[in-house]
Amino acid sequence: DVLSSDYHIDRKQIHMIESLGNGQFGEVYRGMLKTAQQLEINIAIKTCKMQDSETTEAFLEEAYVMQKFDHPHIIKLIGVCTEHPVLLIMELARLGELRAYLVANRSDFDVVTLVLYCEQLASALEYLEAKKFVHRDIAARNVLVSNHESIKLADFGLSRQLTLDNAYYKASKGKLPIKWMAPESINFRRFTHLSDVWMFGVCMWEIITMGKKPFQGVANTDVIDQIENGVRLPLPGAYCPKRLFDLLQECWSYEPTNRPSFLQIESCLKSILNEERLNSNS
Ligand code: ATP
């Protein structure tokens, strides 16, 4: 894996401002980057606590992946400081994590904005599908909010490999995101574009419920039994467009090949979005 030299950043250009939270490898900060043209850019800075070469390499994997993407709804890699301590510099999403944002602003959301978020994520996932990338951890906790009208997919720590490895188990706080996972991922550790579609269905459900937790109160070990028995997440609310609820059911087809592709999902969401915009104006 190599990083294009365009991405190398001198530490002197970076100014850390405040901590945003803790990531898998270390603290994440908000900061500023001064460009060669003396422009100041808002950035997010990921740090890596452990500095052995194995950890550093695993940490940099996310940068190797992110540099391949250029999409309005995917967080952009700005650069990397490769001298120790290694830093990963990314575009800042000013309003933070989507789930927290949805919960904090419940009373302000209209269906149009919620469907817009789903459509934006679908366009990002369609882009990844075309590039043959499987994300494997699509959930509202991995989506960030830039402004009220724009969300971005983040967290590419898991997206590089198609097979599950030990790093994955250790990765997400020692837990697999069972409640988001497709049955074939739970049963056979099979991750494909079609298992991403299932996960995206759960993520759309989180969005449309404005931050409810899927299968709350159900033990991880019982989730797969429920799915095998045909149980699915409930209708998010009376305000959820019928066509969107139908789309969720399709994403949760037990048989992966019965699920729609991201291309189909995106076009369906565009059409629902147009319909909801017309409804809200009438
Ligand atoms: P995990 O696997 O546990 O999610 P991680 O290493 O992927 O960890 P993040 O969860 O992405 O780390 O980051 C930790 C915190 O920093 C989160 O609260 C997240 O909201 C915030 N954060 C990360 N990247 C950005 C960004 N580009 N803009 C704004 N906030 C960010």
Side-chain angles (χ1 to χ4, degrees):
D1 278 314
V2 283
L3 192 75
S4 154
S5 59
D6 304 349
Y7 284 102
H8 289 284
I9 288 181
D10 187 337
R11 191 172 311 276
K12 291 196 218 68
Q13 295 172 263
I14 291 165
H15 170 54
M16 289 191 185
I17 296 171
E18 63 171 349
S19 170
L20 291 172
N22 250 301
Q24 178 198 318
F25 290 94
E27 198 116 15
V28 181
Y29 297 86
R30 177 173 76 82
M32 293 292 255
L33 169 78
K34 206 172 211 159
T35 67
Q37 296 78 28
Q38 303 300 306
L39 286 175
E40 296 213 321
I41 304 175
N42 286 309
I43 51 171
I45 306 157
K46 279 197 179 188
T47 63
C48 190
K49 213 163 27 205
M50 308 256 289
Q51 290 177 28
D52 58 289
S53 59
E54 205 174 314
T55 311
T56 305
E57 201 46 36
F59 175 69
L60 285 172
E61 280 284 345
E62 190 170 12
Y64 301 148
V65 173
M66 287 178 86
Q67 70 174 339
K68 301 191 172 110
F69 306 141
D70 180 15
H71 188 276
H73 297 292
I74 296 178
I75 289 285
K76 275 190 188 48
L77 176 73
I78 294 174
V80 172
C81 282
T82 45
E83 328 89 76
H84 281 281
V86 175
L87 303 176
L88 224 137
I89 316 296
M90 293 171 309
E91 160 190 14
L92 179 77
R94 258 189 338 104
L95 301 178
E97 286 180 11
L98 175 61
R99 215 188 83 81
Y101 185 75
L102 289 168
V103 171
N105 298 287
R106 272 204 174 130
S107 52
D108 297 334
F109 274 103
D110 51 34
V111 181
V112 173
T113 309
L114 297 171
V115 177
L116 174 72
Y117 288 175
C118 293
E119 192 271 329
Q120 291 178 344
L121 276 185
S123 75
L125 291 161
E126 183 198 331
Y127 175 86
L128 291 184
E129 180 177 53
K131 289 204 169 266
K132 310 231 182 302
F133 266 90
V134 176
H135 188 284
R136 303 201 313 177
D137 200 8
I138 302 162
R141 65 177 168 276
N142 290 330
V143 178
L144 298 172
V145 185
S146 288
N147 61 59
H148 189 64
E149 278 78 42
S150 181
I151 59 170
K152 309 214 176 195
L153 187 60
D155 227 321
F156 286 86
L158 301 181
S159 63
R160 62 209 179 266
Q161 291 154 319
L162 282 170
T163 56
L164 199 63
D165 56 9
N166 288 328
Y168 184 87
Y169 282 106
K170 285 186 220 134
S172 300
K173 295 160 190 138
K175 270 198 280 178
L176 284 169
I178 297 286
K179 292 173 179 177
W180 282 258
M181 280 159 68
E184 70 276 13
S185 306
I186 300 175
N187 287 333
F188 312 113
R189 295 175 185 186
R190 221 181 122 71
F191 291 87
T192 62
H193 295 296
L194 292 170
S195 64
D196 268 3
V197 166
W198 177 293
M199 294 189 112
F200 179 57
V202 180
C203 183
M204 285 198 282
W205 184 90
E206 292 182 276
I207 292 173
I208 235 55
T209 59
M210 288 173 272
K212 271 200 188 160
K213 294 182 174 169
F215 298 106
Q216 190 160 33
V218 180
N220 268 351
T221 46
D222 294 335
V223 170
I224 186 65
D225 289 335
Q226 292 207 2
I227 289 169
E228 305 268 357
N229 287 320
V231 178
R232 296 293 183 271
L233 292 168
L235 180 72
Y239 56 87
C240 174
K242 164 92 172 55
R243 288 178 64 201
L244 183 56
F245 189 58
D246 292 344
L247 181 65
L248 295 184
Q249 304 309 308
E250 283 181 46
C251 293
W252 299 327
S253 300
Y254 192 85
E255 184 57 49
T257 52
N258 290 339
R259 296 173 204 154
S261 69
F262 281 116
L263 194 69
Q264 291 167 318
I265 293 173
E266 219 249 325
S267 110
C268 180
L269 284 168
K270 267 198 179 129
S271 147
I272 298 172
L273 184 59
N274 283 334
E275 216 168 83
E276 291 303 315
R277 279 184 169 141
L278 285 175
N279 286 343
S280 73
N281 290 333
S282 61

